[in-house]
Amino acid sequence: MLAGCLTATVSAVAAEASDKRSAVADSIVQPKIFINTGFENASPMNWEIDSAGRVIGSMVYDHERFSKNRAVNHFHFRIEAPVGTDVTVILENFDNIWNNRHASDLSDRSRYVVSFDNKKWESRSVKALPGRRMQFSLKMEAPHAYIASVEPYRISDLDKMLAKIGRSKLAGITTIGKTAEGRPLEIIRIGNENAPKRLFLRARAHAFEAGGNWTVEGLVEKLLSNDEDSKRYLKRYCVYILPMANKDGVARGKTRFNANGYDLNRKWDKPADSLVAPENYALEQWLHKMVKAKKRPDLALDIHNDAGGNLHVSRPDGDISDYLAHMEKLDKLLRQYTWFTEGSTKPSFRNPGTLGEGIIERFGVYAAVYELNYEWIAGLKKAPLASDWLSLGNKLPEVFYHYFE
Ligand SMILES: [Zn+2]
């Protein structure tokens, strides 16, 4: 009797739960849109379709270790929906914290890039919404639409370039260490080690800033072309490049920090911790070796993306008049031979701890951070795509030729 009563109660409860479930299921309109983030360099994000059928994408912040700083600039995902579908996307969580202040790069100049074949990309504007969110709409021209903050340059793109370099007699590749997650860190050498001058370039210390990688790709292509110009350049200087410092961040589609939440363009005033920042530690060891072998680089540039596009001149304490004269020369040559018009940072600007400042002070290498505006190229009056950064990279060897004159 008791058992029968219990069974009846259990089935009543089960029936009620099942009714509730179907009510919930009925209230959800089955969407035609899927957001895929399961591929190389895709960014972590939560997403849902709201009652108006829009995609609401919540980006996942990239956090700095032992700091309030957090960053989201990068987004990279694939919309999957039938051809002809109108898709509206709202992305949120661009409420970055920068030097303990709330900040965001979102503005009316903000853009995104889209590709329907993952090869040819187009830049389009977005609408900045209150609450540091952005909105854009598109019509599906294919079943897949790749969406990103800047035209992606992935580890697989780097591997293709490294394979090409590996076949060249003019170049060499050395592994100088590993990232926090164990990915190899390569330094590319192009040219003769005994050339009169040496140049060092680093790209992609910050994971979203693909512009530096495209620029390096353009520069490498020119230097390996073996034409009359490239022979003239390599007679004067040898180039060393750390092409992708923050490989772990790139692999995971993150914005800024390494896998341990370390900013690879900070704290260059002190030796790096080999466990927390192995990417910087490996580079420091390499620089020490170069200095010891009397092969100290004569110039170092750390290539980044931001919403300004300036050459960030370093201003460490002490007499830097000779360095400043060299940076003035570099600024002038960039304007003369490339589309660069953004100019250098003002004397009041200082950013201690960047690679630009740190390696002047610690290694005696003249260095600067070169930012590429990822929203707009003033000199070309257009939003940048990879081809613009490739063309910049193609022209840079001429700039360095005259810089080392
Ligand atoms: Zn950066």
Side-chain angles (χ1 to χ4, degrees):
M1 177 68 186
L2 190 64
C5 186
L6 200 63
T7 310
T9 310
V10 168
S11 25
V13 169
E16 201 187 322
S18 156
D19 281 355
K20 265 190 194 161
R21 268 200 301 274
S22 53
V24 170
D26 288 345
S27 75
I28 295 176
V29 180
Q30 298 307 320
K32 287 191 294 183
I33 301 167
F34 180 74
I35 302 298
N36 194 328
T37 59
F39 57 95
E40 186 187 13
N41 184 243
S43 300
M45 66 189 275
N46 288 315
W47 64 275
E48 60 181 353
I49 310 290
D50 74 359
S51 57
R54 302 173 300 190
V55 176
I56 311 295
S58 301
M59 308 314 300
V60 175
Y61 286 106
D62 196 1
H63 292 268
E64 186 173 22
R65 190 181 191 83
F66 304 140
S67 155
K68 283 184 185 165
N69 291 340
R70 64 183 191 197
V72 162
N73 271 60
H74 189 56
F75 49 89
H76 187 190
F77 54 89
R78 187 167 71 213
I79 302 171
E80 299 176 4
V83 174
T85 307
D86 290 307
V87 181
T88 294
V89 178
I90 294 175
L91 297 181
E92 54 190 27
N93 289 353
F94 293 93
D95 185 16
N96 294 344
I97 298 179
W98 186 236
N99 295 335
N100 294 321
R101 281 185 296 117
H102 286 266
S104 172
D105 275 349
L106 283 192
S107 72
D108 293 337
R109 294 202 318 176
S110 295
R111 321 272 309 177
Y112 74 105
V113 291
V114 56
S115 172
F116 292 100
D117 61 4
N118 206 16
K119 284 183 196 122
K120 195 178 171 302
W121 293 79
E122 188 187 317
S123 177
R124 296 182 181 179
S125 59
V126 306
K127 201 166 124 192
L129 299 180
R132 287 174 174 152
R133 297 174 302 148
M134 68 158 73
Q135 179 177 332
F136 55 86
S137 299
L138 67 148
K139 189 181 277 297
M140 296 297 288
E141 295 173 20
H144 295 152
Y146 288 82
I147 306 287
S149 51
V150 295
E151 190 167 336
Y153 187 103
R154 296 143 295 205
I155 294 178
S156 56
D157 297 307
L158 174 67
D159 287 343
K160 278 179 217 155
M161 184 180 77
L162 292 176
K164 251 187 255 170
I165 291 169
R167 293 191 290 271
S168 170
K169 281 182 189 151
L170 296 169
I173 301 169
T174 313
T175 301
I176 59 159
K178 283 181 178 172
T179 66
E181 292 185 348
R183 296 183 170 88
L185 288 164
E186 302 89 359
I187 286 211
I188 301 161
R189 171 192 49 81
I190 301 181
N192 183 344
E193 292 203 89
N194 299 314
K197 298 288 180 181
R198 281 168 297 276
L199 167 70
F200 171 67
L201 300 174
R202 181 177 78 159
R204 212 70 181 272
H206 296 144
F208 102 85
E209 300 167 14
N213 270 123
W214 290 115
T215 303
V216 162
E217 179 108 9
L219 173 130
V220 167
E221 188 186 282
K222 180 68 191 171
L223 289 177
L224 292 186
S225 66
N226 213 15
D227 64 3
E228 289 313 308
D229 285 336
S230 67
K231 284 178 193 161
R232 173 165 58 87
Y233 305 145
L234 295 179
K235 234 179 243 170
R236 184 163 288 173
Y237 60 86
C238 180
V239 187
Y240 297 89
I241 309 164
L242 175 59
M244 194 182 275
N246 191 355
K247 272 190 179 176
D248 297 347
V250 174
R252 293 174 183 275
K254 299 204 317 182
T255 291
R256 190 171 179 96
F257 309 113
N258 84 346
N260 291 323
Y262 191 92
D263 191 327
L264 297 177
N265 196 29
R266 290 293 182 275
K267 302 190 180 84
W268 273 94
D269 51 332
K270 292 182 203 74
D273 183 312
S274 63
L275 295 176
V276 179
E279 298 86 354
N280 281 4
Y281 179 80
L283 177 53
E284 284 174 1
Q285 297 311 303
W286 179 80
L287 281 166
H288 281 303
K289 245 189 245 167
M290 293 293 281
V291 171
K292 213 173 157 189
K294 303 211 180 325
K295 288 179 182 162
R296 186 199 315 267
D298 298 284
L299 173 68
L301 288 181
D302 195 20
I303 310 175
H304 289 253
N305 276 126
D306 74 356
N310 299 113
L311 180 68
H312 286 206
V313 173
S314 312
R315 294 184 188 272
D317 297 330
D319 179 8
I320 54 168
S321 50
D322 184 63
Y323 163 77
L324 291 179
H326 277 81
M327 289 304 109
E328 217 179 294
K329 184 179 182 185
L330 179 61
D331 180 301
K332 214 175 127 196
L333 291 168
L334 283 168
R335 290 170 193 268
Q336 192 175 342
Y337 292 105
T338 77
W339 45 248
F340 174 79
T341 59
E342 286 82 358
S344 299
T345 45
K346 294 187 181 78
S348 57
F349 179 88
R350 250 202 99 172
N351 202 353
T354 60
L355 182 138
E357 288 221 353
I359 74 168
I360 294 184
E361 289 186 302
R362 290 176 51 216
F363 296 90
V365 176
Y366 282 9
V369 172
Y370 181 17
E371 297 279 359
L372 307 171
N373 189 323
Y374 72 97
E375 294 176 341
W376 195 251
I377 298 177
L380 299 178
K381 295 189 176 65
K382 72 184 286 283
L385 287 170
S387 55
D388 302 308
W389 289 320
L390 285 165
S391 82
L392 172 73
N394 258 267
K395 302 275 169 54
L396 282 179
E398 186 73 25
V399 170
F400 300 129
Y401 177 79
H402 295 287
Y403 177 87
F404 288 130
E405 207 159 82

